[in-house]
Structures are given as structure tokens and as C-alpha cells.
Amino acid sequence: MANTGLVDEASRASAAPRTMGEGNLAPAAPHAGSDSGAQSTAVEVDSDEYDPQWPALGAGHPLRKFQDRLPSILQGAGYEEVYGVQLSGQTPVPFSTTLILQKFLRANANQLELAVEQLKATLIWRKEFQPLRAAQDEVFDEQRFGGLGYITVVETDDGSGWRDVITWNIYGAVTDSKRTFGDLDGFLRWRVALMERSIRHLHLDSACAAIPDYGQGPDPYQMIQVHDYLSVRFLRMDGATRAASQRTIALFQSYYPELLVRKFFVNVPFVMGWLYSAMKVFVAKETAKKLTMLSYGNQLADQIGSHAVPVAYGGHGEPLAVVGETVSSAAAAAAAAAAPAAAAAAAASRSGAVAQVGSVETGSAHATAAPVAEKPEVVEGGTMAPVPIPSQKM
């Protein structure tokens, strides 16, 4: 049985469902079927015809003031990227830059000074940690992290065209806590890589729907997060696990604001209900609304739809190991590196396996082969690209 206790990975950190894939998003009416208004709909538009414009901001608006201070913030940090978006202090401020500023402002209840300080700290941390490098270029030990984290992106079943981005943390997959969490820096790089790959599916750099002001509506660019504790020993957390839990919570609270729309703790024993209740007392009211504890995994489908989850969670989908995207492992990297050579070998094999047509007159043999339509392997960021996730309706 796994021995972990990562119960509260990101109180203010985030992962929310609602992306339109590669296309741009234009604002539309709120999604009538959403949970407490936490989700909105959008229509896809031609990027050549739609130039996203943020709603006009008065001179005294905190977001406008944030924009005015951005050039000095970027200069002081010596770094300009957040969530894969290159921030720019040019005038007018680009839409994607304003979207990131709005996330930081909302995370701090429109308190400009707090938002500025959090953005500064985030830029400095990202400059030092290089999270995009962890997500795109680094490979991780399958023995340590295999089966521990997945990402799924599924179409909603309401016909809106939106997709749910879901990050899965399967802590019951941990068989040796010291091996998984003992190298704390290595674990944090793996966990950040999983988050960054999830954020990539929100397509923040090409978004076209403005995020409402704090308290005026939901942020459509967020994700769902699921923590599965099946077989986890809650009351026997060792030092390595405790340290990993504390560092992860602190990191996500500090540097990943406004990314979580809902967070589910599943397969949690009844006796741990008191821990959940106690935890909610110490988190912000708005955050507490996002947290849900489920005693059984198959209850999850009732919360986010059977189309979005595997059979093990009460849905109709295939297992996460089949449809889930994962952080690059050494095995995946090796497979990606070997793919071109394998394709060449296969082509050579097909060329050699010819049909021999004997010629009585000349005694010669003629090589004949039917053309073969090949589907090339797709390599993304140095790893095999994730298997496309089929849309499943309820």
C-alpha cells in the first residue's frame, strides 16, 4: 500500500475546465448548465477576422494601473514569461498579457500591491526554475513517477464546444515513498512539468475571451484537478512525503494563481472526513467552494460527467493509462528517439519483401510492391505526443 499524504496540493493554485483547443475564443453567454456559474461558453472564430480587444479600462481601474506598472516589473525581474505567455509592456498592452495580469489581480481580490508582489516573485521563480524546460525537454524516471500523474482533455457533453482539462494525481500509485519523494527537487520538477503541460491545453497565448473583473463572473481559463488516494495510508506519513507535501503546497500557492476551478479528493476514507472539514476552516472561502471530498472513486462521474472520466471513476471512458497524457519518461524519450530509425527499418523491410515474378525467357526476377500509406509517429517536445482523446457523450 502506498504511504503518502499529499492532501492539499494547491489551495490557491489552479487547474479549470473550458478551452476550445487550438482555436481562439470569443465571449458568449454564460453556460446555463454550469456549476454555480463556474463555467462559461464561447464560440470559435476565425483568428484572421477577430482581433481580441480587452474591454475599456478607466484610468483608476486596478487592471489599468497594473498594466502601467508592468514595464518596470519586467525590467526588475529580467524575465517575461508566465504560463507560456510572453508578457509585454508595450502600448497597447497585448490581450494575452492583460489576461495574465487579470489572473494575478483576481487571485489577490483586486489588491494591486499584492498582485504586483506575487507577479514579481513568480517571474523571478520562473527565471530560476525554468518550468517550461521541465515540461518540454526533461525526462523523468518511470520507476519514480510512472502512473502518478495524467492529463486528459475531453469535450463537454453540452454541445458548447468547450473542453474540460483535467489533471489527475494518483497517489495510490506510489509504492516507495522514499524513491518518489526522497529527491525533493526531482519530485518538484516532475510535478511542475505536469502542471505546465496541463496549462498548455488552456491555450492562454491565443485566448480571445476576456476574464471578468474580480467578483463579476468566472474565469473560463481554468482546470479540474483530481487527487486519488486509493490505498494511501493517511496516518503514517514519513518525513520525505511530508516535506514533499509542504513544498508542493507552498510552490503552487505562490506561483500558480487562478488555475483551479474544482478540486476533487477521491477514495478518501470516511474517518478522514474530519481532516477535510478542518482543512476548509483554514482556506479562503472562495477556495473552499472549489474543494470536494468523495469517499468512493465512482462518485466522480456524478460531479463532472460520465463522459469525462474512466470506468474506474463511474464514467464511460478508457483507463487513464490508455488515454492520459503524461510527463516525459526515459522510456517515452527512448521510444521517440528510436521512432525515425524504426520507420526507416520498416521501410527497408517493405522494400526487401518483394513479390518475385519469374521470367521464363530471361530467368530474371522482377520486384513488385504495392504502395503503402504510412501514418508517421508524431513527436512533440522531444516525447511521443499524447494519444488523441475521443469525445464521449453521455
Coordinates of all heavy atoms in Angstrom, one line a residue, residues 214-268:
Y214 N -12.7 40.8 -10.8 CA -12.9 40.0 -9.5 C -14.3 40.2 -9.0 O -14.8 41.3 -8.9 CB -11.9 40.5 -8.5 CG -12.1 39.9 -7.1 CD1 -11.8 38.6 -6.9 CD2 -12.7 40.7 -6.1 CE1 -12.0 38.0 -5.6 CE2 -12.9 40.1 -4.8 CZ -12.5 38.8 -4.6 OH -12.7 38.2 -3.4
G215 N -15.0 39.1 -8.8 CA -16.4 39.1 -8.2 C -17.4 39.4 -9.3 O -18.6 39.4 -8.9
Q216 N -17.1 39.5 -10.5 CA -18.0 39.8 -11.6 C -18.3 38.6 -12.5 O -19.1 38.8 -13.5 CB -17.6 41.0 -12.4 CG -17.3 42.2 -11.6 CD -18.6 42.7 -10.9 OE1 -19.7 42.8 -11.5 NE2 -18.5 43.0 -9.6
G217 N -17.8 37.4 -12.2 CA -18.0 36.3 -13.1 C -16.9 35.3 -13.0 O -15.8 35.7 -12.5
P218 N -17.0 34.1 -13.6 CA -16.0 33.1 -13.6 C -14.9 33.3 -14.6 O -15.1 34.0 -15.6 CB -16.7 31.8 -13.9 CG -17.9 32.3 -14.8 CD -18.3 33.6 -14.2
D219 N -13.7 32.8 -14.2 CA -12.6 32.8 -15.1 C -12.7 31.5 -16.0 O -12.7 30.4 -15.5 CB -11.3 32.8 -14.3 CG -10.0 32.7 -15.2 OD1 -10.1 32.4 -16.4 OD2 -8.9 32.8 -14.6
P220 N -12.9 31.7 -17.3 CA -13.1 30.5 -18.1 C -11.8 29.7 -18.4 O -11.9 28.6 -19.0 CB -13.6 31.1 -19.4 CG -13.0 32.4 -19.5 CD -12.9 32.9 -18.1
Y221 N -10.6 30.2 -18.0 CA -9.4 29.6 -18.3 C -8.8 28.9 -17.1 O -7.8 29.4 -16.5 CB -8.4 30.5 -18.9 CG -8.9 31.3 -20.1 CD1 -9.3 32.6 -20.0 CD2 -9.1 30.7 -21.3 CE1 -9.9 33.3 -21.0 CE2 -9.6 31.4 -22.4 CZ -10.0 32.7 -22.3 OH -10.5 33.4 -23.3
Q222 N -9.4 27.8 -16.7 CA -9.0 27.0 -15.5 C -9.2 25.6 -15.8 O -9.7 25.1 -16.8 CB -9.8 27.5 -14.3 CG -9.6 28.9 -13.9 CD -10.4 29.4 -12.7 OE1 -11.6 29.1 -12.6 NE2 -9.7 29.9 -11.7
M223 N -8.8 24.7 -14.8 CA -8.8 23.3 -15.0 C -9.5 22.6 -13.8 O -9.6 23.2 -12.7 CB -7.4 22.7 -15.1 CG -6.6 23.4 -16.3 SD -4.9 22.8 -16.4 CE -4.2 23.6 -15.0
I224 N -9.8 21.3 -13.9 CA -10.2 20.5 -12.9 C -9.0 19.7 -12.4 O -8.2 19.3 -13.2 CB -11.3 19.5 -13.3 CG1 -12.6 20.3 -13.7 CG2 -11.6 18.4 -12.3 CD1 -13.6 19.4 -14.4
Q225 N -8.9 19.4 -11.1 CA -7.8 18.6 -10.5 C -8.4 17.5 -9.7 O -9.4 17.7 -8.9 CB -6.9 19.5 -9.7 CG -5.6 18.9 -9.4 CD -4.6 19.9 -8.7 OE1 -4.7 20.1 -7.5 NE2 -3.8 20.6 -9.5
V226 N -7.9 16.3 -9.9 CA -8.4 15.1 -9.2 C -7.2 14.5 -8.4 O -6.2 14.2 -9.0 CB -9.0 14.1 -10.1 CG1 -9.5 12.8 -9.3 CG2 -10.2 14.7 -10.9
H227 N -7.4 14.3 -7.1 CA -6.4 13.6 -6.3 C -7.0 12.3 -5.9 O -8.0 12.3 -5.1 CB -6.0 14.4 -5.1 CG -5.1 15.6 -5.4 ND1 -4.3 16.2 -4.5 CD2 -4.8 16.2 -6.6 CE1 -3.6 17.1 -5.0 NE2 -3.9 17.2 -6.3
D228 N -6.4 11.2 -6.3 CA -6.9 9.8 -5.9 C -6.1 9.2 -4.8 O -4.9 9.0 -5.0 CB -6.9 9.0 -7.2 CG -7.6 7.6 -6.9 OD1 -7.9 7.3 -5.8 OD2 -7.9 6.9 -7.9
Y229 N -6.7 8.9 -3.7 CA -5.9 8.4 -2.6 C -6.2 6.9 -2.3 O -6.1 6.4 -1.1 CB -6.2 9.2 -1.3 CG -5.7 10.6 -1.5 CD1 -6.6 11.7 -1.8 CD2 -4.4 10.9 -1.3 CE1 -6.1 12.9 -2.0 CE2 -3.9 12.2 -1.4 CZ -4.7 13.2 -1.7 OH -4.3 14.5 -1.9
L230 N -6.7 6.2 -3.3 CA -6.9 4.8 -3.1 C -5.7 4.1 -2.6 O -4.6 4.2 -3.2 CB -7.4 4.1 -4.4 CG -7.8 2.6 -4.4 CD1 -9.0 2.5 -3.5 CD2 -8.0 2.1 -5.8
S231 N -5.8 3.3 -1.5 CA -4.7 2.6 -0.9 C -3.7 3.4 -0.2 O -2.6 2.9 0.2 CB -4.0 1.7 -1.9 OG -4.9 0.8 -2.5
V232 N -3.9 4.7 0.0 CA -3.0 5.6 0.7 C -3.2 5.5 2.2 O -4.3 5.5 2.7 CB -3.1 7.0 0.2 CG1 -2.3 8.0 1.1 CG2 -2.7 7.2 -1.2
R233 N -2.0 5.4 2.9 CA -2.1 5.4 4.4 C -2.0 6.9 4.9 O -0.9 7.4 4.9 CB -0.9 4.6 4.9 CG -0.9 3.1 4.5 CD 0.3 2.5 5.0 NE 0.4 1.1 4.6 CZ 1.5 0.3 4.7 NH1 2.6 0.8 5.2 NH2 1.4 -1.0 4.3
F234 N -3.1 7.4 5.3 CA -3.1 8.8 5.7 C -2.3 9.1 7.0 O -1.8 10.2 7.2 CB -4.5 9.3 5.8 CG -5.2 9.7 4.5 CD1 -5.8 8.7 3.7 CD2 -5.1 10.9 4.0 CE1 -6.4 9.0 2.5 CE2 -5.6 11.2 2.7 CZ -6.3 10.3 2.0
L235 N -2.4 8.2 7.9 CA -1.9 8.4 9.2 C -0.5 8.0 9.5 O 0.1 8.1 10.6 CB -2.8 7.7 10.3 CG -4.3 8.1 10.2 CD1 -5.1 7.4 11.3 CD2 -4.4 9.6 10.4
R236 N 0.2 7.6 8.4 CA 1.6 7.2 8.5 C 2.5 7.8 7.5 O 3.1 7.2 6.7 CB 1.7 5.6 8.4 CG 0.9 4.9 9.5 CD 1.1 3.4 9.3 NE 2.5 2.9 9.3 CZ 2.8 1.7 9.0 NH1 1.9 0.8 8.7 NH2 4.1 1.4 9.1
M237 N 2.5 9.2 7.5 CA 3.3 9.9 6.6 C 4.7 10.0 7.0 O 5.0 10.5 8.1 CB 2.7 11.4 6.4 CG 3.3 12.2 5.3 SD 2.8 14.0 5.4 CE 1.1 13.8 5.3
D238 N 5.6 9.6 6.2 CA 7.1 9.7 6.6 C 7.6 11.1 6.3 O 6.9 11.9 5.7 CB 7.9 8.6 5.8 CG 7.8 8.7 4.3 OD1 7.8 9.8 3.8 OD2 7.7 7.6 3.7
G239 N 8.9 11.3 6.7 CA 9.5 12.6 6.5 C 9.6 13.1 5.1 O 9.3 14.2 4.8
A240 N 9.9 12.2 4.2 CA 10.1 12.6 2.8 C 8.8 13.0 2.2 O 8.7 14.0 1.4 CB 10.7 11.4 2.0
T241 N 7.7 12.3 2.5 CA 6.4 12.6 2.0 C 5.9 13.9 2.6 O 5.3 14.8 1.8 CB 5.4 11.5 2.3 OG1 5.9 10.3 1.8 CG2 4.0 11.8 1.7
R242 N 6.1 14.1 3.8 CA 5.7 15.4 4.5 C 6.4 16.6 3.9 O 5.8 17.6 3.6 CB 6.0 15.3 6.0 CG 5.5 16.5 6.8 CD 5.7 16.4 8.3 NE 5.1 15.2 8.8 CZ 5.7 14.1 9.2 NH1 7.0 14.0 9.0 NH2 5.0 13.1 9.7
A243 N 7.7 16.4 3.7 CA 8.5 17.5 3.1 C 8.0 17.8 1.7 O 7.9 19.0 1.3 CB 10.0 17.2 3.1
A244 N 7.7 16.8 0.9 CA 7.3 17.0 -0.5 C 5.9 17.7 -0.5 O 5.6 18.6 -1.3 CB 7.2 15.6 -1.2
S245 N 5.0 17.3 0.4 CA 3.7 17.9 0.5 C 3.8 19.3 0.9 O 3.2 20.2 0.2 CB 2.9 17.1 1.6 OG 1.6 17.7 1.8
Q246 N 4.6 19.7 1.8 CA 4.7 21.1 2.3 C 5.3 22.0 1.2 O 4.8 23.1 0.9 CB 5.5 21.2 3.5 CG 4.9 20.5 4.7 CD 5.8 20.4 5.9 OE1 7.0 20.6 5.8 NE2 5.2 20.1 7.1
R247 N 6.3 21.5 0.5 CA 7.0 22.3 -0.5 C 6.1 22.5 -1.7 O 6.0 23.5 -2.4 CB 8.3 21.6 -0.9 CG 9.4 21.8 0.0 CD 10.1 23.2 -0.1 NE 10.6 23.4 -1.4 CZ 11.8 23.1 -1.9 NH1 12.6 22.4 -1.1 NH2 12.2 23.3 -3.1
T248 N 5.3 21.4 -2.1 CA 4.4 21.5 -3.2 C 3.3 22.5 -3.0 O 3.0 23.3 -3.8 CB 3.9 20.1 -3.6 OG1 4.9 19.2 -3.8 CG2 3.0 20.1 -4.8
I249 N 2.7 22.4 -1.8 CA 1.7 23.3 -1.4 C 2.2 24.8 -1.5 O 1.5 25.6 -2.1 CB 1.1 23.0 0.0 CG1 0.4 21.7 0.0 CG2 0.2 24.1 0.4 CD1 0.0 21.2 1.4
A250 N 3.3 25.0 -0.9 CA 3.8 26.4 -0.9 C 4.1 26.9 -2.3 O 3.8 28.0 -2.7 CB 5.1 26.4 -0.1
L251 N 4.7 26.0 -3.2 CA 5.1 26.4 -4.5 C 3.8 26.8 -5.4 O 3.8 27.8 -6.0 CB 5.8 25.2 -5.2 CG 6.4 25.5 -6.6 CD1 7.7 24.6 -6.8 CD2 5.5 25.2 -7.7
F252 N 2.8 25.9 -5.3 CA 1.6 26.2 -6.1 C 0.8 27.4 -5.6 O 0.2 28.1 -6.3 CB 0.8 24.9 -6.2 CG 1.3 23.9 -7.2 CD1 2.2 23.0 -6.9 CD2 0.8 24.0 -8.5 CE1 2.7 22.1 -7.9 CE2 1.3 23.1 -9.5 CZ 2.2 22.2 -9.2
Q253 N 0.8 27.6 -4.3 CA 0.1 28.7 -3.7 C 0.8 30.0 -4.2 O 0.1 31.0 -4.5 CB 0.1 28.7 -2.2 CG -0.9 27.7 -1.6 CD -0.8 27.7 -0.1 OE1 0.1 28.1 0.5 NE2 -1.9 27.2 0.5
S254 N 2.1 30.0 -4.3 CA 2.8 31.2 -4.6 C 2.9 31.5 -6.1 O 2.8 32.7 -6.4 CB 4.2 31.1 -4.1 OG 4.3 30.9 -2.7
Y255 N 3.0 30.5 -6.9 CA 3.4 30.8 -8.3 C 2.3 30.3 -9.3 O 2.6 30.5 -10.5 CB 4.7 30.1 -8.6 CG 5.8 30.5 -7.6 CD1 6.6 29.5 -7.0 CD2 6.0 31.8 -7.3 CE1 7.5 29.8 -6.1 CE2 7.0 32.2 -6.4 CZ 7.8 31.2 -5.7 OH 8.7 31.5 -4.8
Y256 N 1.2 29.8 -8.9 CA 0.2 29.3 -9.9 C -1.2 29.8 -9.5 O -2.1 28.9 -9.3 CB 0.3 27.8 -10.0 CG 1.5 27.3 -10.8 CD1 2.7 27.0 -10.1 CD2 1.5 27.1 -12.1 CE1 3.8 26.6 -10.8 CE2 2.6 26.7 -12.8 CZ 3.8 26.4 -12.1 OH 4.9 26.0 -12.8
P257 N -1.4 31.1 -9.4 CA -2.8 31.6 -9.1 C -3.8 31.4 -10.2 O -3.5 31.4 -11.4 CB -2.5 33.0 -8.8 CG -1.4 33.4 -9.7 CD -0.5 32.2 -9.7
E258 N -5.0 31.3 -9.7 CA -6.2 31.3 -10.7 C -6.2 30.3 -11.8 O -6.4 30.6 -12.9 CB -6.3 32.7 -11.3 CG -7.0 33.7 -10.3 CD -8.5 33.4 -10.1 OE1 -9.3 33.4 -11.0 OE2 -8.8 33.0 -8.9
L259 N -5.8 29.0 -11.4 CA -5.9 28.0 -12.4 C -6.9 26.8 -12.0 O -7.1 25.9 -12.8 CB -4.5 27.4 -12.6 CG -3.5 28.3 -13.3 CD1 -2.1 27.7 -13.4 CD2 -4.0 28.7 -14.7
L260 N -7.4 26.9 -10.8 CA -8.3 25.8 -10.3 C -9.7 26.2 -10.3 O -10.1 27.2 -9.6 CB -7.8 25.4 -8.9 CG -8.6 24.4 -8.2 CD1 -8.5 23.0 -8.8 CD2 -8.2 24.3 -6.7
V261 N -10.6 25.4 -11.0 CA -12.0 25.7 -10.9 C -12.7 24.7 -9.9 O -13.6 25.1 -9.2 CB -12.7 25.6 -12.3 CG1 -12.7 24.2 -12.8 CG2 -14.1 26.1 -12.2
R262 N -12.2 23.4 -9.9 CA -12.7 22.4 -9.0 C -11.6 21.5 -8.6 O -10.7 21.2 -9.5 CB -13.9 21.6 -9.6 CG -15.1 22.4 -9.9 CD -15.9 22.8 -8.7 NE -16.3 21.8 -7.8 CZ -17.4 21.0 -8.0 NH1 -18.1 21.1 -9.0 NH2 -17.7 20.0 -7.1
K263 N -11.6 21.0 -7.4 CA -10.6 20.1 -7.0 C -11.3 19.0 -6.2 O -12.0 19.2 -5.2 CB -9.5 20.7 -6.1 CG -8.4 19.8 -5.7 CD -7.3 20.6 -5.0 CE -6.1 19.7 -4.7 NZ -4.9 20.5 -4.3
F264 N -11.1 17.7 -6.6 CA -11.7 16.6 -6.0 C -10.7 15.7 -5.3 O -9.7 15.3 -5.9 CB -12.5 15.8 -7.1 CG -13.6 16.5 -7.7 CD1 -13.3 17.2 -8.9 CD2 -14.8 16.6 -7.2 CE1 -14.4 17.9 -9.5 CE2 -15.9 17.3 -7.8 CZ -15.6 18.0 -8.9
F265 N -11.0 15.3 -4.1 CA -10.2 14.3 -3.4 C -11.1 13.0 -3.4 O -12.2 13.0 -2.8 CB -10.0 14.7 -1.9 CG -9.3 16.1 -1.8 CD1 -10.0 17.2 -1.6 CD2 -7.9 16.2 -1.9 CE1 -9.4 18.5 -1.5 CE2 -7.3 17.4 -1.8 CZ -8.0 18.6 -1.6
V266 N -10.6 12.0 -4.0 CA -11.5 10.8 -4.2 C -10.8 9.6 -3.5 O -9.6 9.6 -3.3 CB -11.7 10.5 -5.7 CG1 -12.4 11.7 -6.3 CG2 -10.5 10.1 -6.4
N267 N -11.7 8.6 -3.2 CA -11.2 7.4 -2.5 C -10.6 7.8 -1.1 O -9.6 7.2 -0.7 CB -10.3 6.6 -3.3 CG -11.0 5.9 -4.5 OD1 -12.0 5.3 -4.3 ND2 -10.4 6.0 -5.7
V268 N -11.2 8.7 -0.4 CA -10.8 9.1 0.9 C -11.6 8.4 1.9 O -12.8 8.5 1.9 CB -10.9 10.7 1.0 CG1 -10.5 11.1 2.4 CG2 -10.1 11.4 0.0

